[in-house]
Amino acid sequence: MKKIHYAWIIAFTGTLVTILAHGLGRMSYSVILPSMKDGLSLNYTQIGLIGTGNFIGYLSLAIIGGFLAARFGVRRVVFISLIIIGVALFLTGFSDSFLFAFMMRLFAGAGNGSSYVPIMALPAAWFAAKKRGLATGIVSGGIGVGLFLSGVIIPPVITYFGHNGWRYAWFFMGIAVFVLAFVCYIFLRNNPKEKGLSMYGGDEEQKGGVKVTLFSAWKNIIREAEIWKLGCVYFMYGFSYIIYLTFFVAYLTKEIGISASTSGVIFAVMGVFSIFCGVVWGGISDILGRRYGSMLAYVTLAISYLIFAFYKVEAGFYLSAFVFGISAFSIPTIMAAAAGDAVGGRLAPAGLGFITLFFGIGQALGPAIAGWIKDSTGTFTNAFVLSAVVSLVGAVGSLILRKKS
């Protein structure tokens, strides 16, 4: 029987990391948001700003985390980052004011950025380019699993514990992330040489020299024109998708009048269909090239936002969740693979970290602007339309990316 290459262990451990860092650490906020809003007597602008705090933290550490991982190794950086997330999530349950909640989400976002970027780039060190999109898709599948778990587990926890249920939801997630961080540390390795192996799918020449320093990594990254193009395209995704996800449950429960349990089910459906979207779109980008894969993904995402805004019946919400789910994390998967294509496996964490700077700016702006739109107009519809428009701009912008070689 042929032995399984350790690269696949890396890919599926990466799935666990994204479940913890991205699924529970970030996406769960959408499910907890309505009851947390009531518990702390916040308005939607404040709720949006708390989400923005998470993304400011993400932005601050995403680029630095990528460079630190290039210098000190993905394994160590991811482990420390997950510990930070676990502690921050647990402490969020003690929030008694807008400022405390904002700060805890800021710290959770910092850990998210410094774990998610390195783990998404790690397949570039373990898989040859022809397998890289698929492997990166497996890693990103954890986000969908995290979405599903959030939609299934969190609403019952909140209901069971009543008025303070949202606090126990944060406690539960904090403990889970902290404990499972040690499991990730056991299985992760920085590169095939640590296991006495070669890259899966054939060795490639690695750009960036033998020894990587923060300065040399930075110099090589900013000189690569394709990296700047990827950053501009990635900004559109960060701005648009986060509006949809952040206010998904609040829109259904507070504006449409759907029950929290049904909203959780719809959210979970989205999570189920998003589990394999990274694998699918990573494979599509391997075949068609990153530019056309990105363009098709952006168009699909825009359609999901428009359905959500205008088809205001339960079937429409399920349809929107399905369409979003099948393309939810397509863009991060494609961007991670494209960053590896542009700068090589060794510098891939730094390259992805740099373009995540653009992505993070979009994420930081999106929730605050959408919350303000809701408070100003009394509806989320205009915010979701804005998401669709920005997503279509991303589709057009994808055509500036490098053609398939």
Side-chain angles (χ1 to χ4, degrees), residues 87-104:
V87 172
L89 293 181
F90 188 84
L91 292 179
T92 304
F94 292 104
S95 298
D96 58 357
S97 66
F98 163 76
L99 182 59
F100 187 87
F102 179 90
M103 293 304 299
M104 289 305 100

Side-chain angles (χ1 to χ4, degrees), residues 67-153:
F67 282 94
L68 289 175
R71 176 65 181 88
F72 299 107
V74 171
R75 186 188 189 206
R76 186 184 305 173
V77 172
V78 166
F79 173 68
I80 294 173
S81 300
L82 288 177
I83 293 296
I84 292 171
I85 294 172
V87 172
L89 293 181
F90 188 84
L91 292 179
T92 304
F94 292 104
S95 298
D96 58 357
S97 66
F98 163 76
L99 182 59
F100 187 87
F102 179 90
M103 293 304 299
M104 289 305 100
R105 295 304 289 153
L106 182 74
F107 287 123
N112 183 204
S114 56
S115 57
Y116 177 70
V117 170
I119 203 64
M120 285 293 288
L122 188 57
W126 280 86
F127 292 84
K130 60 186 178 182
K131 300 288 186 180
R132 191 168 294 150
L134 173 63
T136 307
I138 291 173
V139 175
S140 70
I143 308 173
V145 176
L147 279 175
F148 171 74
L149 293 175
S150 296
V152 170
I153 296 174

Side-chain angles (χ1 to χ4, degrees), residues 268-277 321-322 325-327:
V269 166
M270 179 193 357
V272 169
F273 284 103
S274 69
I275 291 173
F276 301 105
C277 76
F322 165 74
I326 62 174
S327 56

Side-chain angles (χ1 to χ4, degrees), residues 363-397:
Q363 281 198 132
L365 292 173
I369 292 175
W372 174 80
I373 289 174
K374 164 62 175 176
D375 284 336
S376 300
T377 65
T379 178
F380 282 116
T381 299
N382 295 327
F384 297 135
V385 171
L386 176 61
S387 290
V389 171
V390 173
S391 191
L392 291 174
V393 172
V396 175

Side-chain angles (χ1 to χ4, degrees), residues 25-77:
R26 179 191 298 185
M27 304 304 180
S28 59
Y29 179 61
S30 178
V31 182
I32 300 177
L33 183 154
S35 56
M36 186 174 177
K37 173 184 178 296
D38 294 339
L40 295 178
S41 300
L42 304 174
N43 59 38
Y44 282 106
T45 300
Q46 290 175 311
I47 284 292
L49 286 172
I50 291 174
T52 293
N54 182 261
F55 306 128
I56 290 174
Y58 180 92
L59 175 61
S60 301
L61 264 292
I63 182 170
I64 298 174
F67 282 94
L68 289 175
R71 176 65 181 88
F72 299 107
V74 171
R75 186 188 189 206
R76 186 184 305 173
V77 172

